[in-house]
Amino acid sequence: MIVRHENTGRLSKALVANGFVFLSGLTAKDRSGGVREQTADILAQIDHYLALAGTNKSRLVTGNVWLKDVGTFNEMNEAWEAWVDKECPPARATVEARLAHDSILVEIQVQGLV
């Protein structure tokens, strides 16, 4: 069985299947801040979608982070490290990428266990 949360017709923000939760790539709702602020915004959204799926960040398996400028890696990590479960951090990749809009500095996608 597949359970979809916040299906937009184009994508589901969170999808639960076979004991896993898959989140779509998320960007900050408030894009007025820098990388640290945008990352914190996204991580709060991740907490929300994980809760909808019946799980939490301690059950994350993988994370992918896309940065508009890899030179902001440390700023992103400051927010990430303040948020991540230090006893259960997921595997993670971070790359520089051209993102969908100039105001998007960070995009994050995670997968975890329910």
Side-chain angles (χ1 to χ4, degrees):
M1 180 162 84
I2 298 173
V3 177
R4 292 174 174 84
H5 297 278
E6 294 192 24
N7 177 345
T8 69
R10 175 182 295 170
L11 56 88
S12 296
K13 294 286 185 152
L15 185 145
V16 178
N18 296 324
F20 283 89
V21 59
F22 304 89
L23 270 59
S24 292
L26 299 170
T27 60
K29 291 180 179 180
D30 178 1
R31 298 181 187 161
S32 63
V35 170
R36 185 180 304 105
E37 293 79 16
Q38 286 195 23
T39 301
D41 180 308
I42 296 164
L43 297 173
Q45 290 180 63
I46 289 172
D47 284 335
H48 166 76
Y49 289 114
L50 292 175
L52 278 180
T55 192
N56 62 64
K57 64 187 170 189
S58 73
R59 311 248 321 140
L60 290 179
V61 177
T62 65
N64 294 300
V65 180
W66 294 271
L67 295 171
K68 181 177 181 178
D69 177 0
V70 77
T72 61
F73 182 76
N74 290 336
E75 289 178 60
M76 178 276 299
N77 266 333
E78 287 177 17
W80 179 274
E81 290 169 4
W83 171 84
V84 74
D85 184 322
K86 290 171 183 47
E87 298 297 318
C88 306
R92 191 189 87 186
T94 304
V95 298
E96 181 177 271
R98 188 170 151 199
L99 300 174
H101 191 275
D102 286 342
S103 64
I104 298 172
L105 305 178
V106 185
E107 184 168 344
I108 302 176
Q109 177 187 40
V110 297
Q111 299 172 6
L113 297 170
V114 177

